[in-house]
Amino acid sequence: MMLQVMPQKLKLTNDRLLKALSCQNTGRPPVWLMRQAGRYMPEYRALRAKYSFLDMCHQPELVVEITQLPLTVFGMDAAILFSDILVIPEALGLGLRFEDQVGPILERPLKTPADIAALPVLDVSDSLSYVAQSIRLLKERLEVPLLGFAGAPFTIASYMIEGGSSPALKKTKQWMLRDPVSFHRLLEKIADDTIAYLNLQIDAGVDAVQLFDSWAHVLGHVQFREFSLAYLKRIVEGLKPRNVPVILFCRGASVFAKQLAEAAPAGISLDWNTDITQMRLTIPQSIALQGNIDPDLLYAPKEVIQKELDRLITGMKGDKGFILNLGHGIHPDTPVDAVKYLIDAVKRYGD
Ligand code: 1CP
């Protein structure tokens, strides 16, 4: 008798992150680091000497190689797609480039409400198809879950208005306060494009997604509700039918965590200003908590790293929804030995 060969669904050999995101992890916490594939790694810098950052984001073979670098060297429990939150403004035609020592620059920032009205309808399957292709290639190779991501609408709007990084977001806040109607129109447009973009990533195979609201900390708490949270909710709701866990990261999340919980994400990523064990008492047990090591801790001697890890892991012991991470991205000058020590140390906490 002929045996019919059914197509095999790729099985993850390590699904610790997904268990924690559904608050069902009974072993040691999963660990991954924001910006884990980046400039602190000599292997990354060697590639970066040959290619521009955007070339690295645009070429699927390079994305696959770079996404896997930290997994091969340190063995984190999850991969995060190598890309950038600014590929959406790039796809909307604002002209993106990265300058060394300066950071991202958008060549055609938004200046008037007419500029918002003139933004094109985004066809993600065309302008961002290279992302889907990278994800499909990665899913053929990875044994750990793959995180997709996007910027949150407020953060993306701020880059589109400022034209780059700007510590106080003066232009953005002035626009927001003087003409909230057109500002909301922009946030709505970005939220809907982001839903389409994350759906593209989910269709291609990502196991979970993280939204980065890196500039939310410039908002007052009432402003946060109106200009950030409302759109995070819209995206979480928009993705609900897909049943893929969503993690919300805000810089300043310790102040906003209770509000973030209202969006009912699978997880909330916390900065290091808060005591995560205390935060657990106010955030529902059904929401995973991710964090919250100070990225500067990785400059400390190993004993200090170990002590902080003991405090954190003992404090969260028995919590089925705890994901170990930094409170923000890893710094480019972080010693590689400290990262290796941290990941190995987490793994010594057992199964
Ligand atoms: O010169 C270089 O080699 C580029 C450095 C670099 C890298 C490695 C940039 C430029 N972006 C990235 C990758 C990146 N960016 C990832 C990859 C996955 C990972 O390993 O984590 C992710 C998730 C991001 C997300 C991102 N880009 C955010 C949100 C997270 C955060 O740190 O708050 C933001 C704000 C950006 C914009 C951006 N891209 C790059 C820089 C230097 C910046 C920040 C500039 C600023 O401070 O405004």
Side-chain angles (χ1 to χ4, degrees):
M1 196 176 75
M2 282 270 288
L3 273 177
Q4 212 180 351
V5 181
M6 298 295 284
Q8 290 276 314
K9 207 171 164 217
L10 198 84
K11 181 116 174 60
L12 298 172
T13 54
N14 173 349
D15 65 350
R16 205 177 282 273
L17 177 82
L18 299 179
K19 280 197 189 127
L21 281 171
S22 53
C23 298
Q24 290 175 349
N25 177 39
T26 50
R28 68 154 174 91
V31 57
W32 70 279
L33 307 179
M34 284 188 267
R35 295 276 177 108
Q36 63 190 22
R39 287 166 288 181
Y40 77 101
M41 291 189 75
E43 297 84 351
Y44 175 90
R45 292 196 299 270
L47 280 167
R48 185 68 176 78
K50 289 197 267 176
Y51 304 97
S52 76
F53 172 64
L54 274 179
D55 279 344
M56 285 160 67
C57 292
H58 290 163
Q59 293 181 34
E61 295 74 19
L62 287 173
V63 172
V64 171
E65 185 178 349
I66 299 164
T67 302
Q68 292 185 107
L69 280 178
L71 306 178
T72 315
V73 177
F74 308 108
M76 286 82 171
D77 295 306
I80 179 159
L81 176 75
F82 183 77
S83 184
D84 199 83
I85 60 167
L86 297 174
V87 297
I88 292 242
E90 182 189 36
L92 288 170
L94 271 63
L96 175 64
R97 60 190 164 83
F98 282 85
E99 259 180 31
D100 288 342
Q101 323 301 332
V102 180
I105 294 173
L106 290 164
E107 280 153 7
R108 291 174 287 282
L110 305 176
K111 295 212 167 81
T112 66
D115 294 338
I116 299 173
L119 286 170
V121 174
L122 185 65
D123 179 359
V124 290
S125 64
D126 177 29
S127 51
L128 291 157
S129 62
Y130 65 91
V131 175
Q133 203 187 332
S134 304
I135 292 168
R136 280 195 296 269
L137 287 174
L138 271 166
K139 286 301 292 175
E140 287 171 15
R141 291 166 175 74
L142 288 177
E143 294 182 351
V144 296
L146 175 62
L147 283 149
F149 70 91
F154 178 75
T155 288
I156 295 295
S158 78
Y159 281 104
M160 290 169 80
I161 291 170
E162 306 287 335
S165 293
S166 151
L169 300 191
K170 277 238 176 253
K171 289 181 191 157
T172 308
K173 287 191 80 179
Q174 284 173 7
W175 191 327
M176 175 184 103
L177 292 163
R178 290 174 181 162
D179 182 4
V181 172
S182 68
F183 195 71
H184 274 299
R185 214 176 295 134
L186 175 61
L187 293 171
E188 250 169 56
K189 152 96 180 130
I190 298 170
D192 291 343
D193 285 346
T194 303
I195 293 171
Y197 179 46
L198 291 174
N199 270 319
L200 171 104
Q201 296 186 25
I202 294 168
D203 285 339
V206 295
D207 300 288
V209 297
Q210 179 156 317
L211 279 167
F212 288 94
D213 214 348
S214 305
W215 290 96
H217 61 291
V218 305
L219 294 170
H221 74 282
V222 178
Q223 295 169 346
F224 176 75
R225 183 171 289 283
E226 177 176 350
F227 297 105
S228 169
L229 183 65
Y231 297 93
L232 294 172
K233 276 185 180 163
R234 187 177 173 121
I235 297 172
V236 173
E237 283 302 313
L239 297 176
K240 275 251 153 81
R242 306 305 305 267
N243 247 334
V244 164
V246 180
I247 306 170
L248 298 181
F249 164 84
C250 280
R251 194 145 33 123
S254 44
V255 194
F256 298 132
K258 270 194 195 166
Q259 294 189 56
L260 288 171
E262 288 172 29
I268 294 175
S269 198
L270 294 169
D271 58 63
W272 60 98
N273 297 110
T274 193
D275 178 347
I276 197 166
T277 53
Q278 286 300 311
M279 194 56 91
R280 180 37 104 200
L281 303 176
T282 60
I283 303 293
Q285 291 291 335
S286 56
I287 298 179
L289 288 180
Q290 175 172 277
N292 67 340
I293 293 174
D294 174 0
D296 286 341
L297 184 78
L298 295 170
Y299 298 131
K302 295 191 169 93
E303 311 77 67
V304 179
I305 298 176
Q306 185 65 56
K307 198 168 159 218
E308 171 61 4
L309 210 52
D310 286 342
R311 193 190 62 75
L312 189 59
I313 294 187
T314 310
M316 292 304 277
K317 203 171 167 54
D319 194 297
K320 295 178 182 168
F322 173 48
I323 301 160
L324 205 127
N325 204 320
L326 305 178
H328 197 194
I330 191 166
H331 298 306
D333 60 351
T334 300
V336 166
D337 283 352
V339 177
K340 184 162 174 26
Y341 184 83
L342 176 75
I343 304 296
D344 289 346
V346 176
K347 291 185 171 176
R348 282 197 292 273
Y349 283 91
D351 278 345

